[in-house]
PDB file of all heavy atoms in Angstrom:
ATOM      1  N   VAL U 272      15.500  21.069 108.022  1.00 97.00           N
ATOM      2  CA  VAL U 272      14.553  21.089 106.902  1.00 97.00           C
ATOM      3  C   VAL U 272      15.250  20.616 105.628  1.00 97.00           C
ATOM      4  O   VAL U 272      14.708  19.815 104.853  1.00 97.00           O
ATOM      5  CB  VAL U 272      13.968  22.505 106.718  1.00 97.00           C
ATOM      6  CG1 VAL U 272      13.099  22.576 105.465  1.00 97.00           C
ATOM      7  CG2 VAL U 272      13.159  22.908 107.935  1.00 97.00           C
ATOM      8  N   LYS U 273      16.459  21.122 105.402  1.00 97.00           N
ATOM      9  CA  LYS U 273      17.230  20.685 104.228  1.00 97.00           C
ATOM     10  C   LYS U 273      17.496  19.179 104.281  1.00 97.00           C
ATOM     11  O   LYS U 273      17.297  18.458 103.307  1.00 97.00           O
ATOM     12  CB  LYS U 273      18.573  21.413 104.180  1.00 97.00           C
ATOM     13  CG  LYS U 273      18.586  22.769 103.537  1.00 97.00           C
ATOM     14  CD  LYS U 273      20.041  23.224 103.390  1.00 97.00           C
ATOM     15  CE  LYS U 273      20.127  24.616 102.791  1.00 97.00           C
ATOM     16  NZ  LYS U 273      21.537  25.043 102.618  1.00 97.00           N
ATOM     17  N   TRP U 274      17.989  18.736 105.430  1.00 98.00           N
ATOM     18  CA  TRP U 274      18.373  17.329 105.544  1.00 98.00           C
ATOM     19  C   TRP U 274      17.175  16.410 105.309  1.00 98.00           C
ATOM     20  O   TRP U 274      17.293  15.403 104.613  1.00 98.00           O
ATOM     21  CB  TRP U 274      18.986  17.060 106.926  1.00 98.00           C
ATOM     22  CG  TRP U 274      20.366  17.603 107.117  1.00 98.00           C
ATOM     23  CD1 TRP U 274      20.849  18.792 106.685  1.00 98.00           C
ATOM     24  CD2 TRP U 274      21.453  16.949 107.778  1.00 98.00           C
ATOM     25  NE1 TRP U 274      22.164  18.945 107.049  1.00 98.00           N
ATOM     26  CE2 TRP U 274      22.556  17.832 107.723  1.00 98.00           C
ATOM     27  CE3 TRP U 274      21.592  15.730 108.433  1.00 98.00           C
ATOM     28  CZ2 TRP U 274      23.783  17.519 108.289  1.00 98.00           C
ATOM     29  CZ3 TRP U 274      22.818  15.414 109.007  1.00 98.00           C
ATOM     30  CH2 TRP U 274      23.904  16.290 108.928  1.00 98.00           C
ATOM     31  N   GLN U 275      16.044  16.749 105.879  1.00 98.00           N
ATOM     32  CA  GLN U 275      14.857  15.913 105.725  1.00 98.00           C
ATOM     33  C   GLN U 275      14.392  15.893 104.276  1.00 98.00           C
ATOM     34  O   GLN U 275      13.992  14.846 103.750  1.00 98.00           O
ATOM     35  CB  GLN U 275      13.731  16.420 106.629  1.00 98.00           C
ATOM     36  CG  GLN U 275      12.458  15.580 106.579  1.00 98.00           C
ATOM     37  CD  GLN U 275      12.715  14.127 106.976  1.00 98.00           C
ATOM     38  OE1 GLN U 275      13.226  13.856 108.054  1.00 98.00           O
ATOM     39  NE2 GLN U 275      12.383  13.190 106.095  1.00 98.00           N
ATOM     40  N   ALA U 276      14.453  17.053 103.615  1.00 98.00           N
ATOM     41  CA  ALA U 276      14.003  17.132 102.225  1.00 98.00           C
ATOM     42  C   ALA U 276      14.871  16.272 101.315  1.00 98.00           C
ATOM     43  O   ALA U 276      14.352  15.562 100.437  1.00 98.00           O
ATOM     44  CB  ALA U 276      14.030  18.589 101.750  1.00 98.00           C
ATOM     45  N   VAL U 277      16.177  16.303 101.515  1.00 98.00           N
ATOM     46  CA  VAL U 277      17.066  15.488 100.678  1.00 98.00           C
ATOM     47  C   VAL U 277      16.901  14.012 101.018  1.00 98.00           C
ATOM     48  O   VAL U 277      16.825  13.158 100.126  1.00 98.00           O
ATOM     49  CB  VAL U 277      18.537  15.929 100.850  1.00 98.00           C
ATOM     50  CG1 VAL U 277      19.471  14.985 100.085  1.00 98.00           C
ATOM     51  CG2 VAL U 277      18.726  17.355 100.366  1.00 98.00           C
ATOM     52  N   ALA U 278      16.830  13.698 102.296  1.00 98.00           N
ATOM     53  CA  ALA U 278      16.708  12.295 102.710  1.00 98.00           C
ATOM     54  C   ALA U 278      15.453  11.640 102.147  1.00 98.00           C
ATOM     55  O   ALA U 278      15.459  10.439 101.822  1.00 98.00           O
ATOM     56  CB  ALA U 278      16.703  12.200 104.233  1.00 98.00           C
ATOM     57  N   SER U 279      14.382  12.411 102.009  1.00 98.00           N
ATOM     58  CA  SER U 279      13.115  11.849 101.542  1.00 98.00           C
ATOM     59  C   SER U 279      12.886  12.014 100.044  1.00 98.00           C
ATOM     60  O   SER U 279      11.863  11.571  99.519  1.00 98.00           O
ATOM     61  CB  SER U 279      11.950  12.497 102.300  1.00 98.00           C
ATOM     62  OG  SER U 279      11.933  13.900 102.099  1.00 98.00           O
ATOM     63  N   ALA U 280      13.828  12.649  99.339  1.00 98.00           N
ATOM     64  CA  ALA U 280      13.659  12.862  97.898  1.00 98.00           C
ATOM     65  C   ALA U 280      13.727  11.527  97.158  1.00 98.00           C
ATOM     66  O   ALA U 280      14.666  10.746  97.356  1.00 98.00           O
ATOM     67  CB  ALA U 280      14.737  13.811  97.381  1.00 98.00           C
ATOM     68  N   PRO U 281      12.774  11.228  96.287  1.00 97.00           N
ATOM     69  CA  PRO U 281      12.755   9.919  95.623  1.00 97.00           C
ATOM     70  C   PRO U 281      13.806   9.758  94.530  1.00 97.00           C
ATOM     71  O   PRO U 281      14.264   8.644  94.273  1.00 97.00           O
ATOM     72  CB  PRO U 281      11.341   9.848  95.026  1.00 97.00           C
ATOM     73  CG  PRO U 281      10.924  11.286  94.865  1.00 97.00           C
ATOM     74  CD  PRO U 281      11.577  12.034  95.986  1.00 97.00           C
ATOM     75  N   ALA U 282      14.189  10.855  93.872  1.00 97.00           N
ATOM     76  CA  ALA U 282      15.157  10.745  92.777  1.00 97.00           C
ATOM     77  C   ALA U 282      16.519  10.307  93.310  1.00 97.00           C
ATOM     78  O   ALA U 282      16.908  10.657  94.421  1.00 97.00           O
ATOM     79  CB  ALA U 282      15.276  12.088  92.054  1.00 97.00           C
ATOM     80  N   GLN U 283      17.225   9.550  92.512  1.00 97.00           N
ATOM     81  CA  GLN U 283      18.563   9.063  92.881  1.00 97.00           C
ATOM     82  C   GLN U 283      19.544   9.366  91.750  1.00 97.00           C
ATOM     83  O   GLN U 283      19.145   9.427  90.584  1.00 97.00           O
ATOM     84  CB  GLN U 283      18.509   7.542  93.149  1.00 97.00           C
ATOM     85  CG  GLN U 283      17.695   7.138  94.355  1.00 97.00           C
ATOM     86  CD  GLN U 283      18.314   7.576  95.670  1.00 97.00           C
ATOM     87  OE1 GLN U 283      19.531   7.774  95.760  1.00 97.00           O
ATOM     88  NE2 GLN U 283      17.486   7.728  96.695  1.00 97.00           N
ATOM     89  N   PRO U 284      20.828   9.515  92.031  1.00 98.00           N
ATOM     90  CA  PRO U 284      21.441   9.519  93.363  1.00 98.00           C
ATOM     91  C   PRO U 284      21.274  10.873  94.050  1.00 98.00           C
ATOM     92  O   PRO U 284      20.848  11.849  93.437  1.00 98.00           O
ATOM     93  CB  PRO U 284      22.915   9.247  93.045  1.00 98.00           C
ATOM     94  CG  PRO U 284      23.117   9.891  91.703  1.00 98.00           C
ATOM     95  CD  PRO U 284      21.840   9.654  90.959  1.00 98.00           C
ATOM     96  N   HIS U 285      21.634  10.908  95.343  1.00 98.00           N
ATOM     97  CA  HIS U 285      21.688  12.156  96.089  1.00 98.00           C
ATOM     98  C   HIS U 285      23.153  12.595  96.182  1.00 98.00           C
ATOM     99  O   HIS U 285      24.061  11.765  96.220  1.00 98.00           O
ATOM    100  CB  HIS U 285      21.145  11.977  97.510  1.00 98.00           C
ATOM    101  CG  HIS U 285      19.704  11.598  97.558  1.00 98.00           C
ATOM    102  ND1 HIS U 285      19.043  11.340  98.743  1.00 98.00           N
ATOM    103  CD2 HIS U 285      18.774  11.429  96.577  1.00 98.00           C
ATOM    104  CE1 HIS U 285      17.782  11.039  98.493  1.00 98.00           C
ATOM    105  NE2 HIS U 285      17.597  11.066  97.182  1.00 98.00           N
ATOM    106  N   TYR U 286      23.355  13.918  96.244  1.00 98.00           N
ATOM    107  CA  TYR U 286      24.715  14.451  96.391  1.00 98.00           C
ATOM    108  C   TYR U 286      24.802  15.324  97.635  1.00 98.00           C
ATOM    109  O   TYR U 286      23.824  15.959  98.036  1.00 98.00           O
ATOM    110  CB  TYR U 286      25.117  15.273  95.165  1.00 98.00           C
ATOM    111  CG  TYR U 286      25.312  14.439  93.919  1.00 98.00           C
ATOM    112  CD1 TYR U 286      24.321  14.398  92.930  1.00 98.00           C
ATOM    113  CD2 TYR U 286      26.461  13.687  93.733  1.00 98.00           C
ATOM    114  CE1 TYR U 286      24.486  13.638  91.791  1.00 98.00           C
ATOM    115  CE2 TYR U 286      26.636  12.917  92.597  1.00 98.00           C
ATOM    116  CZ  TYR U 286      25.651  12.898  91.622  1.00 98.00           C
ATOM    117  OH  TYR U 286      25.808  12.130  90.500  1.00 98.00           O
ATOM    118  N   MET U 287      25.983  15.335  98.227  1.00 98.00           N
ATOM    119  CA  MET U 287      26.256  16.198  99.381  1.00 98.00           C
ATOM    120  C   MET U 287      27.379  17.160  98.983  1.00 98.00           C
ATOM    121  O   MET U 287      28.402  16.736  98.439  1.00 98.00           O
ATOM    122  CB  MET U 287      26.703  15.337 100.568  1.00 98.00           C
ATOM    123  CG  MET U 287      26.712  16.029 101.926  1.00 98.00           C
ATOM    124  SD  MET U 287      28.198  16.972 102.221  1.00 98.00           S
ATOM    125  CE  MET U 287      27.481  18.387 103.038  1.00 98.00           C
ATOM    126  N   VAL U 288      27.166  18.453  99.215  1.00 98.00           N
ATOM    127  CA  VAL U 288      28.154  19.472  98.868  1.00 98.00           C
ATOM    128  C   VAL U 288      28.487  20.310 100.097  1.00 98.00           C
ATOM    129  O   VAL U 288      27.588  20.846 100.752  1.00 98.00           O
ATOM    130  CB  VAL U 288      27.650  20.393  97.734  1.00 98.00           C
ATOM    131  CG1 VAL U 288      28.653  21.519  97.479  1.00 98.00           C
ATOM    132  CG2 VAL U 288      27.417  19.598  96.452  1.00 98.00           C
TER     133      VAL U 288
END
Side-chain angles (χ1 to χ4, degrees):
V272 174
K273 275 189 182 181
W274 286 40
Q275 182 59 56
V277 174
S279 60
Q283 294 292 335
H285 297 177
Y286 291 102
M287 194 277 141
V288 175

